[in-house]
Amino acid sequence: MSSLTIPSFSIHGVAVSSGIAIGQAHLVSNALLEVVHYQLPKHLIETEIDRFSEAIASVKAELEQINHSLRKNAPAELSAFVGTHLMMLEDKSLTEIPKDIIRNEQCNAEWAIKLQMDDIVEQFEQIEDVYFRERKQDVVQVVERIIKALLGHPSQLSSEQQLSAVNQERKLILVAHDISPADAIQFKQHQFAAFVTDVGGVTSHTAILARSLNIPSIVALQRAHDLINDGELIIVDGHLGIVIVSPSKEILAEYKLRQDQWELEQQKLKRIKSTKAVTIDGASIDLLANIEVPEDVAAVKLAGATGIGLYRTEFLFMNRHDTPDEEEQFVAYKAVAEAMKGAPVTIRTLDLGADKQANSDTVVNCANPALGLRAIRLCLSEPQIFHTQLRALLRASHFGNIKILIPMLCTLSELRQTKLLLERAKQSLRKESIPFDENIALGGMIEIPAAAINAEAFANELDFLSIGTNDLIQYTLAIDRTDDAVAHLYNPLHPSILKLISMTIKAGAKLGKPVSVCGEMAGDARFTRLLLGMGLQQLSMHPSHILSVKQQVLHSQLAELKTQARKVLSLTDIEKIELILTKFNQTH
């Protein structure tokens, strides 16, 4: 039992990158809060529009400079995210429509761009898919940067701040309402030890960046920016999602000890990078990586993953008004296949929500988007878009070990329609004498309870199954995990969830079809031994989680884990399951 006493002050949020940081808070101002509204006389309208255009140009130059300054060995996410923001500055919804607002409403530029941002964000709110809904933060971050330019506030740290940061004996911890990817790059260069933000989720850019940089980070702290004072000593516990403000001497000493232990563990983890993921009793486990863009392959290789278990193709469809054509998709898929040099690359077909192109201009309102036209349902209703993607995937399969993964299968009818469309795509390529892998593997995502219960039927008609735990948990427990009011009910250890996972694994084993997990559970080392004990031999996760999961694999004995897993699966009480799992993880 910990010797900690009640902390002086603590704030709870969502832990998105583990680790412990101790340092002084550095508050970043929120320009959006400083926006005021005022009317302009007609003769000043064009001058105001020029001021707006200059701000856009200034921000563009700033981002290009940041992108140019990235080190060659910097994580691929950094360049991709800055590139996304640069692309948004080419979008007329941010560059031209605010000018119309200035003209029509005779208002100041800051107010015009904020009005336009509110409109776009509202449209993003209608998107069902969590990942794409959180992309609204990109819009907010770009607009905030534009407003800072309009207000004459530097987006970058001042020379004095830079010098101060570099000379700080203690590391600083960034406290912000939100952090843009470009800001994060600069902050990282100045030894900030952790990110703490009021908003964000597990798939926000701040979270993804923090994980890629291996920096402790907590998001969704609600009012941290208001409650924490600049310069205040704080502790960031990236394991538990807690920020401790002005800790007592006892708490500080306890956390310094924990920090030392964590840093030591991180150093040890690096030693197993090239070690094969094999259990003590000789079972080989595939540790695969999840990616969004071809540039992510660098991180996959750096982490020592044996392949790509989930390539989310939605990224190709984001932030644009058109749909990527076959050639553009082919080039992206081929690049990944070739870069992985024969290692497996599982590419998920388009998994969008009710919107068709993840674009704010094309969002379709839906009464209940989580249960509406999304993923494979959407692809089957848009056969031409699907046909184009299937042809691109098949063409790319000639250049590597590509597998196709179908998201959110619910019925065998959906699967059979998909197979017909796949065959039609194959026939079209044969007619054109374009080579492809005739035996390309086809898998299905099990992320709806109905699919898990009927997993054997799906396994019978597919080459492999992949369990998407994020949606499986959401649909099984009837919890919108983005809804703060019910977020506490989201629990991967609910006995029903474990039973559905176990049923799917058994269905695959019975028919000799591989089963993997590619949701957040796969990358959480607390669940590794349990999943192995349930029979899983493939896990796909963010590259930054591979070493911690591999460490669990190396200390595991499957025979022992299977006995423990059976005990867990026999329980019906979440608290007892959590207790057993804690002991489970302490047995090595």
Side-chain angles (χ1 to χ4, degrees):
M1 181 69 72
S2 169
S3 60
L4 291 179
T5 55
I6 298 175
S8 54
F9 180 53
S10 68
I11 313 171
H12 295 239
V14 177
V16 293
S17 184
S18 61
I20 292 170
I22 302 171
Q24 290 176 302
H26 177 81
L27 266 63
V28 178
S29 69
N30 183 359
L32 291 173
L33 297 177
E34 300 174 33
V35 173
V36 295
H37 177 207
Y38 54 88
Q39 293 283 317
L40 293 166
K42 281 187 178 179
H43 71 276
L44 291 180
I45 294 299
E46 291 307 315
T47 304
E48 188 69 0
I49 289 173
D50 289 344
R51 191 169 76 89
F52 176 74
S53 297
E54 288 170 6
I56 294 285
S58 169
V59 172
K60 198 178 293 183
E62 191 176 82
L63 289 175
E64 285 171 346
Q65 193 276 326
I66 291 171
N67 213 15
H68 182 70
S69 68
L70 280 174
R71 299 187 305 274
K72 286 184 180 177
N73 60 349
E77 289 93 339
L78 301 183
S79 179
F81 291 158
V82 176
T84 298
H85 284 197
L86 274 168
M87 190 167 64
M88 292 173 71
L89 287 171
E90 301 291 337
D91 194 306
K92 290 182 179 178
S93 64
L94 286 183
T95 59
E96 296 301 322
I97 292 180
K99 294 177 183 175
D100 295 336
I101 296 174
I102 294 171
R103 287 192 187 94
N104 296 334
E105 302 202 10
Q106 291 185 227
C107 64
N108 54 314
E110 294 90 340
W111 187 251
I113 186 68
K114 185 180 182 304
L115 282 182
Q116 178 61 6
M117 177 196 74
D118 291 343
D119 185 51
I120 295 173
V121 167
E122 188 178 341
Q123 294 177 57
F124 267 95
E125 291 288 356
Q126 305 301 318
I127 298 176
E128 178 276 332
D129 185 280
V130 175
Y131 181 85
F132 288 108
R133 187 165 62 237
E134 288 191 0
R135 300 286 74 80
K136 68 186 178 189
Q137 289 306 127
D138 288 307
V139 178
V140 174
Q141 289 163 354
V142 169
V143 169
E144 184 174 31
R145 193 171 279 272
I146 295 169
I147 290 174
K148 281 182 177 177
L150 286 165
L151 294 174
H153 293 179
S155 290
Q156 302 182 25
L157 295 178
S158 67
S159 299
E160 187 179 341
Q161 284 174 312
Q162 291 181 28
L163 186 63
S164 172
V166 171
N167 290 335
Q168 281 281 353
E169 268 188 36
R170 284 175 170 174
K171 292 178 180 177
L172 299 180
I173 294 172
L174 204 73
V175 180
H177 179 70
D178 195 12
I179 300 172
S180 74
D183 285 336
I185 293 167
Q186 292 176 303
F187 296 152
K188 170 63 181 171
Q189 291 169 349
H190 294 286
Q191 301 181 10
F192 286 101
F195 298 155
V196 170
T197 62
D198 292 343
V199 299
V202 293
T203 58
S204 65
H205 280 163
T206 303
I208 293 170
L209 275 167
R211 285 195 289 268
S212 72
L213 296 168
N214 206 19
I215 297 173
S217 183
I218 302 174
V219 300
L221 284 158
Q222 308 289 331
R223 296 181 56 209
H225 191 259
D226 295 334
L227 297 173
I228 298 173
N229 296 314
D230 200 39
E232 206 157 21
L233 183 64
I234 62 175
I235 296 171
V236 176
D237 186 334
H239 301 292
L240 300 176
I242 299 174
V243 176
I244 303 171
V245 185
S246 296
S248 65
K249 287 182 181 177
E250 292 78 12
I251 292 174
L252 190 59
E254 171 83 16
Y255 265 96
K256 280 184 175 174
L257 183 62
R258 292 188 192 186
Q259 186 183 36
D260 289 344
Q261 290 172 338
W262 179 76
E263 288 176 352
L264 188 60
E265 287 169 6
Q266 294 304 299
Q267 290 302 318
K268 287 180 179 176
L269 279 179
K270 291 178 182 174
R271 298 176 191 166
I272 62 173
K273 178 188 160 189
S274 56
T275 304
K276 289 186 177 178
V278 179
T279 62
I280 293 171
D281 43 359
S284 182
I285 307 298
D286 286 330
L287 300 184
L288 308 161
N290 299 342
I291 68 167
E292 280 87 29
V293 293
E295 290 77 11
D296 290 345
V297 170
V300 173
K301 291 184 174 179
L302 198 62
T306 52
I308 292 170
L310 177 65
Y311 176 6
R312 299 185 177 98
T313 56
E314 300 82 60
F315 207 93
L316 277 171
F317 293 73
M318 287 173 60
N319 299 318
R320 55 193 298 167
H321 293 288
D322 59 344
T323 304
D325 63 18
E326 181 183 315
E327 190 62 21
E328 181 179 346
Q329 293 188 55
F330 163 68
V331 169
Y333 307 150
K334 174 173 172 277
V336 174
E338 287 184 329
M340 292 304 294
K341 301 180 188 298
V345 177
T346 303
I347 304 182
R348 185 174 70 186
T349 58
L350 191 57
D351 186 10
L352 292 179
D355 61 303
K356 292 180 180 170
Q357 301 186 30
N359 185 289
S360 58
D361 290 344
T362 58
V363 171
V364 177
N365 289 326
C366 181
N368 201 341
L371 306 178
L373 196 62
R374 54 162 299 200
I376 189 59
R377 301 172 184 178
L378 175 64
C379 288
L380 293 177
S381 72
E382 298 281 356
Q384 190 52 53
I385 291 177
F386 199 27
H387 180 72
T388 300
Q389 183 173 42
L390 290 174
R391 274 180 57 98
L393 286 168
L394 287 168
R395 285 175 59 195
S397 70
H398 181 64
F399 299 90
N401 183 10
I402 284 180
K403 302 176 182 182
I404 296 176
L405 180 62
I406 308 300
M408 204 181 164
L409 282 170
C410 182
T411 66
L412 289 174
S413 172
E414 289 172 340
L415 173 57
R416 288 165 186 164
Q417 288 180 64
T418 300
K419 292 171 90 169
L420 279 175
L421 290 172
L422 182 61
E423 182 54 33
R424 189 174 300 167
K426 287 181 176 180
Q427 286 176 359
S428 69
L429 292 175
R430 290 188 195 109
K431 283 182 183 175
E432 298 170 33
S433 299
I434 297 176
F436 64 91
D437 179 4
E438 285 279 1
N439 300 312
I440 189 167
L442 181 67
M445 286 198 73
I446 303 300
E447 44 193 343
I448 297 176
I453 292 168
N454 204 25
E456 189 172 326
F458 283 107
N460 193 42
E461 298 197 22
L462 287 164
D463 299 306
F464 65 96
L465 300 177
S466 181
I467 305 172
T469 51
N470 299 350
D471 274 340
L472 184 63
I473 294 167
Q474 179 169 240
Y475 289 128
T476 304
L477 304 184
I479 293 168
D480 182 346
R481 54 198 166 106
T482 65
D483 185 344
D484 291 344
V486 293
H488 63 287
L489 298 173
Y490 185 89
N491 193 333
L493 295 179
H494 190 291
S496 297
I497 301 298
L498 299 182
K499 284 181 172 60
L500 290 172
I501 292 174
S502 178
M503 288 171 67
T504 306
I505 295 170
K506 284 180 179 174
K510 183 177 178 181
L511 296 171
K513 305 293 176 67
V515 178
S516 67
V517 164
C518 62
E520 287 295 316
M521 276 187 83
D524 191 329
R526 292 174 302 164
F527 304 131
T528 303
R529 290 160 64 81
L530 175 60
L531 292 172
L532 295 181
M534 290 165 73
L536 267 179
Q537 294 186 320
Q538 290 186 353
L539 300 110
S540 188
M541 64 207 81
H542 188 279
S544 64
H545 293 157
I546 284 178
L547 292 182
S548 59
V549 170
K550 185 188 287 187
Q551 188 181 45
Q552 293 293 318
V553 172
L554 296 174
H555 290 89
S556 296
Q557 288 204 53
L558 282 192
E560 176 195 338
L561 297 185
K562 285 177 181 174
T563 303
Q564 300 272 20
R566 277 197 295 272
K567 188 183 296 182
V568 170
L569 286 167
S570 70
L571 298 172
T572 55
D573 188 303
I574 295 177
E575 285 71 27
K576 286 183 181 175
I577 291 174
E578 289 175 338
L579 190 62
I580 294 264
L581 188 65
T582 301
K583 292 179 181 175
F584 203 179
N585 287 330
Q586 290 173 341
T587 55
H588 66 87

